[in-house]
Amino acid sequence: MFQSIAGKANLEKADLEPSLKALEDRQMTKNAEEIAEKLCESVAESLEGKKLASFTSISSTVQAAIEEALVLILTPRRSIDILRDVHAAKEQRKPYVVVFVGVNGVGKSTNLAKVAYWFLQHEVNVVVAACDTFRSGAVEQLRTHARRLQVSIPIFEKGYEKDPAIVAKEAIQEATRNGSDVVLADTAGRMQDNEPLMRALSKLIYLNNPDLVLFVGEALVGNDAVDQLSKFNQKLAELSTSPNPRLVDGILLTKFDTIDDKVGAALSMVYISGAPVIFVGCGQSFTDLKKLSVKSIVKTLLK
Amino acid sequence: MVLAQLGGSISRALQQMSNATIIDEKVLNECLNEITRALLQADVQFKLVRDMQTNIKKIVNLDDLAAGHNKRKIIQQAIFNELCKMLDPGKPSFIPKKGKTSVVMFVGLQGSGKTTTCTKYAYYHQKKGWKPALVCADTFRAGAFDQLKQNATKAKIPFYGSYMESDPVKIAVEGVERFKKENCDLIIVDTSGRHKQEVALFEEMRQVSEATKPDLVLFVMDSSIGQAAFDQAQAFKQSVAVGAVIVTKMDGHAKGGGALSAVAATKSPVIFIGTGEHMDEFEVFDVKPFVSRLLGMGDWSGFMDKIHEVVPMDQQPELLQKLSEGNFTLRIMYEQFQNILKMGPIGQVFSMLPGFSAELMPKGREKESQAKIKRYMTMMDSMTNEELDSSNPKLMNESRIMRIARGSGRHLREVMEMLEEYKRLAKIWSKMKGLKIPKKGDMSALSRNMNAQHMSKVLPPQMLKQIGGMGGLQSLMKQMGSTKDMMGMFGGGDK
């Protein structure tokens, strides 16, 4: 694909075009359409007029430049060290509250259980608040997870058809009383365009002021990923009653094992929101929770 | 609506083409490039898009077309057909027969909505007189059986499952056996979500399928899925005999192209779509009307069917008679409200009209307005016959309003609001007074023209713009052939 062209001193746009086009097409097939174009444009700009180092081909120069740009995008602008924050909250005798949000069926509850397991591994005790009071079986699902973890994780639940904001509030109060370190609040899945449901979510976040709003997104999702995340942010901002609305703080990317090399969703989401990918879910068991490896993603995207 | 954006960009591309004076190779290429870009942005698989492009070019061979052919029409038709072809493999799926036991198995990726869709599917058939039953063969995911159990209880559908048994094959076989004995004619087997990277899970699915011998395997697919859709769908198709597809979460804003690709991969028709989280938000899927709606070309047959379904034919002349006399009473309003509620989701009805898109009516707001209509009807239930049949607004004095508010358990303010709404509608209808109501079928061009002018006065300007101004309105009426149905609609549409 990358033909080496030897002996050119200055790079011109025309020289770059074939290599860039090839890269762009490559990313298109990997779910990164939204940003493929922008990325290539900016790379073209940065390379234009530059001198080729000796013994390098255009294609390898372009590839290196793109790699650099990709790493830059995927490396979070603000880093989140959850464990440190948990300890900070503990010193203030407050539980650290994480709210899981996302559209339907992305794996909020499953990954909540994985995160709970992760916390337990780090000797942090956890309370789960069952704030999905809409979908049938949601509360039982959490309870089954807690049982499978074989450590007693208290589940705070009030049954179905209750106001989730209130359930979360009471769960946090209870956690404060019992001296629990972390509250994980599971919410009902909602479509990003459904205004009443988004309003309810905004209320939940406003009322409880969690330490971390974690957006759970599916790696399987294509270009819709960007729409989901930006709409969640937009709706949370619009519908909030507070002057400084809380937005999505971090991303949990699920079903990472189902997509082979089509990893672009991660790229698009981070690029659009600037929120870092905190965890990556990649399997059905509790241990299948990883940190995002920027290097390997970039490698897959350019493969 | 899912795919709305895609539809919009394709329509725009076609529109641009009609602005060009001469249709030559260049214009066609430009148009096709535009469409290709739109499809790619909507997650349709790269290869499919390329194939489609070559196909269209093959059909629309500009040099071979005899002079005088409407090239735009031909190109438009070719694109329409190609889109249809992508969604329609050309062979119908297995259709369960009432009274004869059929087993239907649901498969799909995790979180695509299998369990929810299972219940919707059962509920849909139950309403049509089937005796459905649900078997939960998802022994893996936490809470799966509880979810199915609670859904089934809500819909009053028998179910089978176990908390203890962990072998899905065993449960599926036991469940199917049991419901066969109980003479259920539609046995639905729900399975765990899985994906092709887990070979063991695929093997398990094959075993369940072998043991229960389903008449139909339904592949459930989430509309937001991206470029990975094609590979996953193909893997499912290779392991079990996928017979049909259900696309879920169509109420989101997904671009839906991934699902399009997946459908192409399974070579099976889409038979239903899920459009919401509630039990009845489930629609039969038809390719041509869907594509036609997608491209903003409207779906007249669907729209007419809907109107005829709700407004009984024998009631229509009577209603029109009253209306043309300008007597718009509260009772008529009540009847119109009833019709609206019967029509189902208003956004859905509107999207069948050319030029309208479902985006006009956001999902949440629709619920609100339907709830409002229901409240109004409750208030009207507290009215006397005299009040209902009178068209004199002065009749409503304070004590009557007070009584209605008490009787319906609503605020005085709300009753007033409802009466205001009535006055607003009555005013609109009084403008309709001179409207000629022709007998079915015999509308001359002249009266059509007059009626169109009338309509344009009545319609809110935004709505008129959507239809395409006066000209659009006239052609719209021509298509409808009769104003009657129109009347039924505006009684409803205009609230």
Side-chain angles (χ1 to χ4, degrees):
Chain A
M1 169 107 17
F2 301 106
Q3 294 158 350
S4 51
I5 308 164
K8 279 242 177 189
N10 274 328
L11 283 175
E12 282 158 27
K13 198 152 195 174
D15 300 328
L16 292 169
E17 230 146 55
S19 307
L20 281 175
K21 182 85 188 97
L23 273 170
E24 195 181 322
D25 281 353
R26 188 87 45 85
Q27 293 188 9
M28 289 256 188
T29 63
K30 287 173 188 168
N31 273 339
E33 291 81 349
E34 292 273 343
I35 67 166
E37 241 169 85
K38 285 181 207 157
L39 190 70
C40 289
E41 266 168 33
S42 76
V43 167
E45 227 163 74
S46 71
L47 285 183
E48 224 178 288
K50 266 198 186 154
K51 276 195 181 156
L52 270 183
S54 45
F55 301 116
T56 50
S57 66
I58 292 190
S59 60
S60 64
T61 314
V62 169
Q63 186 147 17
I66 290 218
E67 206 173 307
E68 204 177 297
L70 283 175
V71 172
L72 211 67
I73 290 177
L74 283 172
T75 314
R77 268 173 253 170
R78 51 192 152 155
S79 76
I80 290 190
D81 185 346
I82 294 188
L83 285 174
R84 194 192 61 208
D85 294 349
V86 167
H87 287 299
K90 199 172 179 179
E91 269 161 30
Q92 293 176 9
R93 298 180 177 281
K94 273 195 316 200
Y96 183 82
V97 182
V98 186
V99 176
F100 288 69
V101 302
V103 301
N104 311 71
V106 290
K108 279 179 297 304
S109 308
T110 309
N111 284 284
L112 181 137
K114 289 186 205 167
V115 172
Y117 179 76
W118 183 81
F119 273 127
L120 290 173
Q121 293 310 88
H122 290 87
E123 289 169 5
V124 172
N125 65 52
V126 176
V127 177
V128 174
C131 301
D132 182 352
T133 55
F134 176 80
R135 204 205 66 200
S136 28
V139 176
E140 285 79 1
Q141 186 177 358
L142 289 176
R143 210 179 285 138
T144 314
H145 276 310
R147 203 173 50 236
R148 284 196 198 153
L149 279 171
Q150 288 176 339
V151 242
S152 61
I153 293 184
I155 302 247
F156 187 87
E157 54 115 337
K158 287 278 170 196
Y160 294 96
E161 285 170 26
K162 295 281 163 15
D163 183 348
I166 306 291
V167 177
K169 182 113 213 155
E170 289 174 11
I172 295 171
Q173 278 165 0
E174 176 134 327
T176 318
R177 258 200 307 280
N178 298 345
S180 310
D181 302 332
V182 172
V183 177
L184 301 176
D186 184 26
T187 64
R190 61 201 78 222
M191 286 298 174
Q192 67 270 33
D193 283 326
N194 192 322
E195 211 174 302
L197 290 181
M198 287 309 294
R199 179 163 288 149
L201 183 67
S202 150
K203 180 184 165 194
L204 187 146
I205 291 176
Y206 172 66
L207 211 65
N208 296 297
N209 196 21
D211 299 277
L212 184 71
V213 179
L214 195 57
F215 178 85
V216 184
E218 218 179 20
L220 264 178
V221 168
N223 287 315
D224 195 38
V226 173
D227 186 62
Q228 282 177 9
L229 186 53
S230 55
K231 282 264 175 58
F232 259 77
N233 263 334
Q234 184 197 337
K235 289 276 156 67
L236 285 181
E238 270 172 21
L239 302 176
S240 172
T241 40
S242 105
N244 320 310
R246 288 292 302 277
L247 302 180
V248 170
D249 301 314
I251 300 168
L252 196 165
L253 208 56
T254 63
K255 307 187 195 174
F256 208 68
D257 51 332
T258 60
I259 48 167
D260 297 335
D261 62 346
K262 300 186 175 57
V263 295
L267 194 65
S268 310
M269 282 199 213
V270 176
Y271 182 75
I272 293 299
S273 69
V277 175
I278 297 181
F279 293 111
V280 175
C282 49
Q284 307 233 39
S285 68
F286 292 121
T287 48
D288 292 330
L289 192 70
K290 298 207 172 87
K291 295 267 180 189
L292 184 78
S293 150
V294 174
K295 270 219 180 93
S296 76
I297 288 212
V298 171
K299 225 166 122 196
T300 335
L301 273 171
L302 293 177
K303 200 165 61 188
Chain B
M1 189 176 78
V2 163
L3 290 172
Q5 205 172 344
L6 172 63
S9 7
I10 296 181
S11 320
R12 261 197 306 285
L14 289 172
Q15 198 89 48
Q16 257 166 25
M17 187 178 64
S18 40
N19 288 341
T21 22
I22 305 165
I23 309 267
D24 53 10
E25 199 71 34
K26 197 174 143 239
V27 177
L28 175 64
N29 275 343
E30 231 163 67
C31 173
L32 282 181
N33 277 345
E34 197 85 340
I35 292 173
T36 311
R37 178 182 293 260
L39 287 169
L40 276 180
Q41 268 175 0
D43 284 326
V44 179
Q45 204 213 14
F46 205 63
K47 195 173 149 288
L48 279 175
V49 177
R50 218 179 40 215
D51 289 352
M52 178 172 169
Q53 201 173 2
T54 21
N55 274 349
I56 293 179
K57 278 207 181 136
K58 224 184 286 165
I59 298 166
V60 192
N61 196 339
L62 287 173
D63 299 330
D64 284 359
L65 286 179
H69 271 299
N70 187 340
K71 287 170 188 162
R72 292 185 185 92
K73 259 257 148 69
I74 293 174
I75 295 174
Q76 194 174 6
Q77 195 60 38
I79 291 169
F80 181 82
N81 286 346
E82 280 302 312
L83 281 174
C84 287
K85 222 162 77 190
M86 218 186 259
L87 281 168
D88 186 5
K91 59 167 191 225
S93 75
F94 168 84
I95 298 163
K97 277 203 192 69
K98 224 181 273 185
K100 192 176 158 286
T101 311
S102 329
V103 179
V104 179
M105 179 169 139
F106 278 64
V107 298
L109 293 161
Q110 292 99 334
S112 53
K114 280 176 300 307
T115 309
T116 310
T117 309
C118 262
T119 343
K120 284 182 179 176
Y121 185 78
Y123 181 72
Y124 173 87
H125 284 92
Q126 192 188 38
K127 274 202 303 195
K128 306 232 144 158
W130 260 275
K131 260 185 75 184
L134 290 161
V135 180
C136 177
D138 182 353
T139 52
F140 181 80
R141 206 202 71 201
F145 181 43
D146 287 295
Q147 185 184 358
L148 185 108
K149 192 163 107 180
Q150 286 167 15
N151 275 341
T153 320
K154 232 184 267 169
K156 301 196 176 64
I157 296 166
F159 59 93
Y160 183 85
S162 159
Y163 285 113
M164 315 309 283
E165 180 58 57
S166 63
D167 180 8
V169 180
K170 201 168 159 209
I171 292 191
V173 171
E174 280 173 7
V176 170
E177 281 305 311
R178 176 152 149 218
F179 287 126
K180 268 186 184 157
K181 261 187 221 129
E182 286 178 11
N183 275 331
C184 291
D185 50 8
L186 188 64
I187 303 170
I188 299 161
V189 184
D190 183 22
T191 63
S192 318
R194 65 199 77 226
H195 50 84
K196 69 169 173 122
Q197 282 82 352
E198 298 248 9
V199 183
L201 287 178
F202 259 62
E203 175 58 24
E204 178 199 286
M205 171 173 79
R206 214 183 45 74
Q207 282 175 7
V208 174
S209 156
E210 219 154 72
T212 51
K213 294 190 184 61
D215 298 283
L216 176 65
V217 177
L218 273 170
F219 181 59
V220 180
M221 156 84 48
D222 180 337
S223 68
S224 66
I225 193 165
Q227 292 275 5
F230 190 89
D231 301 339
Q232 291 288 354
Q234 203 164 36
F236 272 93
K237 176 80 183 174
Q238 276 159 7
S239 296
V240 287
V242 172
V245 179
I246 296 181
V247 184
T248 60
K249 303 183 200 169
M250 292 289 270
D251 53 329
H253 199 271
K255 289 163 183 159
L260 268 180
S261 319
V263 171
T266 58
K267 299 194 179 63
S268 321
V270 179
I271 52 169
F272 286 99
I273 51 175
T275 54
E277 35 188 19
H278 294 280
M279 195 88 78
D280 52 351
E281 289 170 320
F282 197 55
E283 284 172 47
V284 176
F285 181 84
D286 239 336
V287 178
K288 279 204 176 117
F290 179 80
V291 175
S292 162
R293 264 153 79 174
L294 182 67
L295 299 183
M297 283 146 71
D299 169 21
W300 280 114
S301 59
F303 183 66
M304 289 315 213
D305 285 351
K306 203 86 192 185
I307 298 263
H308 286 303
E309 205 176 285
V310 229
V311 188
M313 274 317 264
D314 49 331
Q315 263 185 29
Q316 286 179 9
E318 204 183 316
L319 174 69
L320 290 176
Q321 190 58 40
K322 273 194 223 152
L323 283 177
S324 60
E325 285 163 15
N327 286 333
F328 186 76
T329 62
L330 275 161
R331 192 185 295 281
I332 296 183
M333 185 160 97
Y334 189 86
E335 279 161 9
Q336 289 304 309
F337 280 168
Q338 255 174 338
N339 289 343
I340 295 177
L341 291 182
K342 263 193 279 179
M343 275 219 249
I346 296 164
Q348 195 183 321
V349 176
F350 266 172
S351 68
M352 293 178 188
L353 287 170
F356 280 84
S357 70
E359 280 168 8
L360 269 182
M361 188 79 75
K363 187 80 189 161
R365 271 197 32 217
E366 182 176 301
K367 285 258 153 57
E368 272 170 39
S369 65
Q370 259 176 14
K372 197 158 104 188
I373 290 180
K374 274 192 191 136
R375 273 205 304 277
Y376 284 174
M377 288 175 71
T378 324
M379 292 180 224
M380 283 189 254
D381 282 334
S382 291
M383 291 185 177
T384 62
N385 280 337
E386 191 195 346
E387 285 159 352
L388 283 174
D389 289 325
S390 152
S391 55
N392 175 14
K394 295 214 175 69
L395 182 73
M396 289 296 171
N397 56 28
E398 208 173 312
S399 96
R400 281 182 196 263
I401 292 178
M402 194 83 98
R403 193 203 71 242
I404 294 165
R406 254 202 317 275
S408 56
R410 310 245 53 123
H411 277 289
L412 270 183
R413 191 169 38 83
E414 278 176 295
V415 181
M416 311 263 250
E417 207 177 276
M418 186 265 289
L419 288 173
E420 276 309 308
E421 186 70 25
Y422 159 69
K423 275 184 209 148
R424 201 180 63 79
L425 279 177
K427 210 163 128 204
I428 290 171
W429 283 109
S430 69
K431 282 194 209 149
M432 282 283 208
K433 212 169 185 176
L435 191 67
K436 288 230 169 53
I437 313 255
K439 293 212 172 56
K440 198 173 171 58
D442 61 342
M443 183 158 43
S444 68
L446 185 70
S447 74
R448 190 157 63 221
N449 206 352
M450 274 179 51
N451 280 350
Q453 264 170 16
H454 244 293
M455 286 289 202
S456 66
K457 262 187 257 155
V458 178
L459 288 174
Q462 273 167 311
M463 201 162 171
L464 192 67
K465 212 171 134 214
Q466 273 284 338
I467 298 175
M470 253 326 257
L473 190 62
Q474 272 180 35
S475 67
L476 197 139
M477 294 179 76
K478 203 152 115 196
Q479 282 184 52
M480 294 185 81
S482 145
T483 31
K484 282 185 183 175
D485 303 301
M486 198 82 168
M487 304 282 285
M489 166 199 152
F490 286 124
D494 237 337
K495 46 135 215 110

